[in-house]
Structure formats: structure tokens, C-alpha cells
Amino acid sequence: MTKQNAIKAPYPPGDFAIWIIIYVELLTFALLFVGYAFSRRADVELFNASQLLLDKTSGCVNTLILITSSYFVVKAVQSIKTITKETLKEANQKASKWLLSAMVLGLAFLVIKILEFSHIFGAGITLSTNTFFMFYLLLTMFHFMHVLLGIIILWNIYQKTKTVGYTSDDHSGIETGASYWHLVDLLWIVLFPLIYIIR
Amino acid sequence: MQNNFIKNTLEIVWITLVLLTLFAFLLGYLNYISPLVVSVLLVSTFIKGQLVIDYFMGLKDVKLRYRLIPTVWLLTVISLISVAYYLPA
């Protein structure tokens, strides 16, 4: 065990401050997830009937989008971490392409979500329609804000790769942004089956 | 050969995540949801989350305490969802 621990990194990737934020976000969403699950017990029929109004296909497409964009971000980080003096420019360019692809997918997620929201609001549904929709709108809109912030963070990292800003000694920034983006993915991975599928 | 496996690990993780997502979607789409299927879905959600924690967040190669924080979070959330689902009214 000691031997195994010796080769393990002492801290998670990126700036440690982002991990404090990640832990707080995990706790906040945990309360909402568990709150939803226990509120459902009070009126299972209402929750099941309301869930039928959601578009499972767009929920699934959005899950695939976030998983894939997270994969692209890992590829960007890998490009930077394997950097050498000779490959500095090439690695930054490669990373910028992965990041751009990840951001495009992030924007696609937002567009699909906006379409879903407009459909829901168009049907006259609001936060006060019933408990299911209160949780649905609260959770998905809160998550939407996180995706938006994640894209802004990725955009800043992208700008730095365009100026060949990352080196083998300085790649903490890209790891910090990537960790936040994976949090957004992790939260949706729990949210999708909970809200859209389980009944 | 081992290097190739390591190199392809990310791709294998991504494909697994995609397949588990499609599996969950199909069950929901076909409305094939029973208490047993819900257990399968919750286990599959745990696997997906753990894959993201280990391979995307990169916590597999970090000291255990940092890997455990999101893992315990995931396990607790999924366990409480299970309790809420299966606890008799």
C-alpha cells in the first residue's frame, strides 16, 4: 500500500481551490437530488404523470453530448501534459482543437436545453405548477448555469492555448478548468436517470 | 501491447459511458421500468459516475482520500435515492 501511495499524486489535478468549489457544488446538488427523491414519495402518481411530459430523447442526447465533451477535455489536458520543448506549439494547437470541440458540444447542450425549456414554458408549466416541475426546473436551470460557466472557463483556457500559454511546468490552469467541466458532467450523469427515467 | 491498452483506456471509458446511457434511455423509452430495473439503473449510474471520477477527473492516480470524497458522495446520493424509492409508504 505504501508503495502504491508513493506513486500517487498528493493532490487532485488543478488548483486546490476548484476542488473546494467542486465539493460545495456536490453537496448542494446532493441535497436537491435527495430532496427530489423523497418528495416523490409523497405523490408518486403525480411525479410519474409529470415525468411523461419530459422529452427523454433530448435528455439522452444531452447526456451523450456532455460525456463526449468531457472526453474531449481530457484529450486536451493529455495533449498539454505530454508536452516537450519541441512540441510546445503543436501540443497547444492540438489542445485548442479539443477544447473548441468541447465548447461546441457545450453550446449544443445549452441550445437543446433552451428548446426543452421553451416547450415546457409553452405548455404553461412553471415552477409553481407542481412539486415535480419545481424540482425539474430548479435542478436543470441550476445545472444549465453551471454548463454556461463551464463554457466560459473553457473559453479562457482555449484563449491561452491559442497563445501557446501552456508548458510542461505550467498546466495547472487547464487542469482546473477541466475538473470543473467534469463536475458538470458528473452531476448530469446522476440527474438524467433520476429525473427522466426512473419512475 | 500494455501501452496500447493504457492509451485506449479513455476510449473504452467513453464507449462504456455511451453504452450505459443508451441502455438507460432505451429502458425509459420503452417504459420497461420495474423496481428491479431501477436497481440496475442505479448501479449503472454509480458505474458511470465512478468512471468519470476515476478517468475523466483523473482521481484514480491521486491519493485515496481525494478519490474517496466524490466516490462517497456518489454512493451516498445513490443509496439515499434507493431508500426513497424502495422504502414502503
Side-chain angles (χ1 to χ4, degrees):
Chain A
M1 195 179 156
T2 319
K3 201 175 174 185
Q4 245 186 349
N5 270 346
I7 54 164
K8 299 270 184 193
Y11 297 107
D15 196 305
F16 196 72
I18 196 69
W19 286 94
I20 304 294
I21 293 169
I22 288 173
Y23 298 149
V24 172
E25 297 285 9
L26 287 177
L27 211 64
T28 310
F29 271 89
L31 291 172
L32 288 169
F33 291 150
V34 174
Y36 168 89
F38 279 92
S39 300
R40 182 182 173 274
R41 287 172 53 79
D43 201 341
V44 175
E45 281 76 28
L46 172 87
F47 271 63
N48 286 349
S50 303
Q51 192 192 51
L52 288 176
L53 298 173
L54 300 184
D55 183 4
K56 288 183 177 64
T57 309
S58 68
C60 174
V61 171
N62 266 348
T63 312
L64 297 175
I65 281 175
L66 277 191
I67 286 168
T68 308
S69 78
S70 234
Y71 165 74
F72 287 167
V73 170
V74 181
K75 296 296 278 183
V77 174
Q78 265 191 350
S79 308
I80 295 296
K81 282 176 94 172
T82 53
I83 220 164
T84 60
K85 267 186 182 174
E86 293 75 34
T87 61
L88 199 66
K89 196 175 172 191
E90 193 191 317
N92 272 278
Q93 277 175 348
K94 213 168 153 185
S96 75
K97 280 178 190 161
W98 285 116
L99 287 169
L100 188 64
S101 309
M103 282 186 291
V104 169
L105 287 181
L107 287 171
F109 177 96
L110 295 182
V111 170
I112 292 172
K113 213 74 211 103
I114 288 168
L115 290 174
E116 208 181 315
F117 287 143
S118 65
H119 174 74
I120 291 285
F121 290 131
I125 294 164
T126 62
L127 271 170
S128 49
T129 298
N130 62 37
T131 318
F132 173 85
F133 281 109
M134 182 198 75
F135 273 106
Y136 164 77
L137 290 171
L138 204 66
L139 272 163
T140 54
M141 283 182 161
F142 195 34
H143 183 269
F144 182 98
M145 301 304 285
H146 285 72
V147 177
L148 193 62
L149 178 61
I151 292 171
I152 295 168
I153 292 171
L154 290 183
W155 174 256
N156 281 290
I157 297 167
Y158 170 76
Q159 292 294 341
K160 193 166 175 179
T161 57
K162 292 303 268 181
T163 56
V164 196
Y166 291 110
T167 64
S168 55
D169 299 325
D170 174 22
H171 57 258
S172 171
I174 191 169
E175 285 184 326
T176 303
S179 298
Y180 185 83
W181 192 248
H182 301 315
L183 162 78
V184 169
D185 185 21
L186 178 62
L187 293 171
W188 187 261
I189 277 176
V190 179
L191 197 154
F192 170 61
L194 180 65
I195 305 283
Y196 288 80
I197 307 290
I198 291 173
R199 45 193 292 111
Chain B
M1 198 173 150
Q2 202 190 353
N3 269 352
N4 271 345
F5 177 75
I6 293 166
K7 210 176 158 188
N8 293 333
T9 304
L10 265 183
E11 283 67 34
I12 294 167
V13 167
W14 176 70
I15 290 167
T16 308
L17 290 170
V18 168
L19 290 177
L20 288 175
T21 300
L22 292 174
F23 170 70
F25 167 69
L26 277 178
L27 289 175
Y29 192 77
L30 300 171
N31 209 5
Y32 191 69
I33 304 290
S34 66
L36 180 70
V37 172
V38 169
S39 308
V40 174
L41 282 172
L42 289 172
V43 170
S44 114
T45 303
F46 178 78
I47 294 168
K48 284 168 73 182
Q50 193 59 45
L51 286 173
V52 170
I53 291 164
D54 282 348
Y55 295 95
F56 284 6
M57 287 180 152
L59 296 184
K60 193 175 166 287
D61 304 316
V62 174
K63 277 198 171 173
L64 191 63
R65 59 172 168 261
Y66 294 111
R67 187 186 183 192
L68 274 180
I69 296 171
T71 300
V72 168
W73 171 84
L74 188 61
L75 198 62
T76 308
V77 166
I78 289 179
S79 302
L80 288 172
I81 292 170
S82 309
V83 169
Y85 189 86
Y86 290 108
L87 203 70

